[in-house]
């Protein structure tokens, strides 16, 4: 089910993982390498992204150390816990941590994301992760490594359980009537009674329904199994595309798959991962990338849109891709957060706003508002 250029405002997210998308970013001047695990640094980065009215910040996570070469960054803080820390210290912008399902119980995932949604007043999202390596399996020791189709199938069932738990409290289940001593209406708390292949969960959750009802679910779709998962479960789909035509084809494929799954394809937001190195001139941007590659010792192969040039060049590329129907937006991956994030906010965003492609204010208070997604109906309230 193809679609021309989206009529809605373009969506822009930014990845705040590590020191930037390039493995050598932490070694550059001004990278603040000594503050990589300092949450105050992340608060500052989120404030910058928020100043640019970006839709969301993504915080990657996994149960294994990042692949290391020539002293690349190793180790991360827990993304969901960091998002909870950032939630009361930000406004407007969405917070989307990766939480892996392979070695994590859905009940824990549902509570973590629901808590972030409550603390942020409705700005949480969840990027679904899965694990396939022996090292990650060995870190838990509960089961062996799974292949990708099996891990994605498990993630699919986990999403089902998590979203059911989010619905297990109706929106008005809390009474808090001091006079009668009734805190909740027990008739509005529901057992989810999930009996699946991998999980048997009775429920209900112990956390009230999130302010968004269902925080948006984000899925990276770069394999057949993950594309199928995204088509059936995701609100936001991340894809990799090196060319505009490839992005058009991928967006069409995602939308068609969603329609085949019985969903409205207009309820999905397809974002292309875009790696960016921004300079005052194209030559200075290339010089920055050359330095990063020299520090790492290998060429930077992102397997997706990679921009090396000025802020104006990037704005033109974004406009061209948007007009071609290649994406609903972009998940921007700055090569170095200390340099490229400011260039995005102060250089690219104003140009897109001037072209009428990007908002000049947040449209509401929740991430669903920003993404143009309606508040979902509670599945249990609908049948009560």
């Amino acid at each position: 089910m193809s679609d021309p250029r989206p009529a809605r405002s373009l969506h822009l997210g930014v990845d705040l993982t590590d020191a930037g998308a390039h493995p050598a970013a932490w070694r550059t001047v001004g990278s603040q390498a000594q503050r990589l695990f300092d949450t105050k640094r992340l608060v500052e980065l989120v404030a910058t992204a928020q100043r640019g009215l970006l839709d969301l910040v993504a915080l990657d996570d996994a149960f294994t150390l990042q692949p290391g070469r020539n002293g690349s960054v190793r180790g991360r803080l827990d993304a969901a816990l960091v998002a909870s820390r950032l939630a009361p210290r930000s406004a407007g912008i969405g917070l989307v941590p990766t939480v892996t399902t392979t070695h994590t119980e859905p009940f824990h995932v549902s509570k973590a994301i629901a808590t972030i949604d409550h603390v942020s007043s409705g700005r949480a999202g969840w990027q679904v992760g899965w694990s396939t390596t022996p090292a990650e399996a060995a870190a838990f020791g509960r089961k062996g490594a799974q292949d990708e189709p099996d891990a994605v199938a498990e993630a699919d069932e986990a999403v089902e359980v998590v979203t059911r738990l989010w619905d297990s409290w109706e929106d008005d289940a809390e009474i808090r009537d001091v006079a009668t001593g009734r805190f909740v209406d027990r008739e509005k708390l529901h057992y989810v009674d999930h009996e699946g292949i991998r999980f048997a969960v009775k429920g209900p959750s112990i956390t009230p329904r999130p302010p968004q009802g269902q925080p948006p679910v984000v899925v990276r779709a770069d394999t057949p199994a993950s594309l199928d998962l995204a088509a059936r479960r995701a609100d936001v789909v991340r894809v990799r595309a090196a060319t505009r035509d490839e992005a058009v084809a991928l967006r069409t494929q995602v939308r068609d798959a969603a329609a085949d799954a019985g969903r409205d394809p207009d309820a999905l937001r397809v974002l292309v991962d875009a790696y960016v190195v921004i300079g005052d001139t194209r030559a200075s941007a290339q010089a920055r990338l050359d330095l990063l590659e020299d520090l790492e010792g290998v060429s930077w192969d992102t397997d997706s849109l990679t921009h090396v040039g000025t802020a104006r060049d990037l704005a033109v590329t974004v406009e061209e891709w948007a007009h071609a129907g290649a994406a609903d937006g972009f998940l921007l991956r700055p090569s170095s957060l200390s340099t490229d994030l400011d260039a995005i906010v102060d250089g690219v965003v104003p140009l897109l706003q001037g072209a009428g492609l990007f908002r000049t204010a947040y449209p509401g208070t929740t991430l669903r508002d920003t993404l143009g997604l309606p508040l979902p109906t509670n599945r249990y309230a609908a049948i009560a």
Side-chain angles (χ1 to χ4, degrees):
M1 182 172 291
S2 61
D3 181 49
R5 174 196 168 189
R8 67 182 72 90
S9 174
L10 196 70
H11 300 290
L12 295 176
V14 65
D15 191 329
L16 297 187
T17 306
D18 300 333
H22 197 286
W26 73 277
R27 301 175 65 187
T28 60
V29 175
S31 68
Q32 298 185 315
Q34 72 280 6
R35 299 184 65 202
L36 280 178
F37 301 127
D38 181 353
T39 54
K40 291 181 181 179
R41 166 183 163 271
L42 281 167
V43 170
E44 294 164 5
L45 292 172
V46 171
T48 300
Q50 181 178 299
R51 176 164 54 83
L53 303 174
L54 302 188
D55 292 56
L56 58 90
V57 297
L59 302 165
D60 209 354
D61 205 355
F63 290 140
T64 189
L65 290 171
Q66 304 95 306
R69 178 184 174 87
N70 293 342
S72 299
V73 173
R74 307 298 295 273
R76 286 173 181 157
L77 302 178
D78 184 281
L81 293 178
V82 168
S84 291
R85 171 78 174 179
L86 296 172
R89 295 165 176 80
S90 57
I93 196 162
L95 304 169
V96 184
T98 296
V99 180
T100 301
T101 59
T102 311
H103 303 289
T104 309
E105 295 297 329
F107 195 89
H108 295 149
V109 176
S110 73
K111 286 179 74 273
I113 301 300
T115 298
I116 298 167
D117 209 45
H118 279 285
V119 177
S120 66
S121 299
R123 292 181 288 113
W126 170 32
Q127 179 160 294
V128 182
W130 50 87
S131 164
T132 60
T133 70
E136 289 169 286
F140 291 84
R142 295 172 59 189
K143 59 183 178 181
Q146 298 166 242
D147 61 22
E148 200 244 4
D150 186 51
V152 172
E154 184 176 56
D156 184 291
E157 187 176 338
V159 175
E160 174 67 19
V161 178
V162 168
T163 55
R164 284 182 175 274
L165 287 166
W166 285 339
D167 278 350
S168 65
W169 290 54
E170 294 186 34
D171 290 323
D172 57 350
E174 296 176 75
I175 300 173
R176 304 190 190 191
D177 189 331
V178 174
T180 65
R182 295 180 69 209
F183 191 87
V184 299
D185 183 346
R186 297 183 67 87
E187 297 299 316
K188 296 189 176 183
L189 267 60
H190 302 276
Y191 294 115
V192 303
D193 288 327
H194 176 84
E195 293 282 349
I197 296 173
R198 295 168 175 84
F199 304 109
V201 179
K202 188 172 184 61
S205 174
I206 64 169
T207 305
R209 194 175 192 228
Q212 295 182 98
Q214 301 275 335
V217 172
V218 182
V219 174
R220 280 193 177 107
D222 48 18
T223 65
S226 59
L227 174 62
D228 181 63
L229 172 65
R232 293 187 299 107
R233 300 289 188 184
D235 300 293
V236 178
V237 184
R238 288 178 61 178
V239 299
R240 293 173 180 264
T243 67
R244 186 173 64 191
D245 288 346
E246 183 184 357
V248 170
L250 278 171
R251 181 168 179 265
T252 300
Q253 184 180 5
V254 169
R255 290 172 58 84
D256 287 349
D260 291 342
R263 300 182 63 196
D264 178 3
D266 288 334
L268 273 69
R269 306 291 177 261
V270 180
L271 307 184
V272 173
D273 274 15
Y275 295 78
V276 299
V277 186
I278 300 175
D280 292 335
T281 64
R282 294 178 186 177
S284 64
Q286 185 61 55
R288 286 189 54 225
L289 178 58
D290 291 343
L291 171 62
L292 290 166
E293 291 185 334
D294 286 345
L295 289 171
E296 184 66 4
V298 294
S299 297
W300 196 30
D301 182 9
T302 67
D303 197 30
S304 194
L305 172 63
T306 303
H307 168 83
V308 183
T310 67
R312 183 169 296 279
D313 291 337
L314 180 54
V316 169
T317 297
V318 166
E319 182 170 5
E320 289 175 348
W321 284 44
H323 277 287
D328 298 304
F330 298 84
L331 199 294
L332 301 174
R333 306 200 63 186
S335 66
S336 176
L337 288 171
S338 62
T339 301
D340 294 309
L341 182 57
D342 281 322
I344 289 167
V345 167
D346 298 324
V348 180
V349 167
L351 292 170
L352 294 176
Q353 290 170 329
L357 282 172
F358 195 63
R359 73 181 76 86
T360 56
Y362 283 114
T365 60
T366 72
L367 180 55
R368 280 188 168 271
D369 290 336
T370 300
L371 294 170
L373 299 172
L375 185 71
T377 302
N378 187 312
R379 73 193 74 193
Y380 299 111
I383 62 175

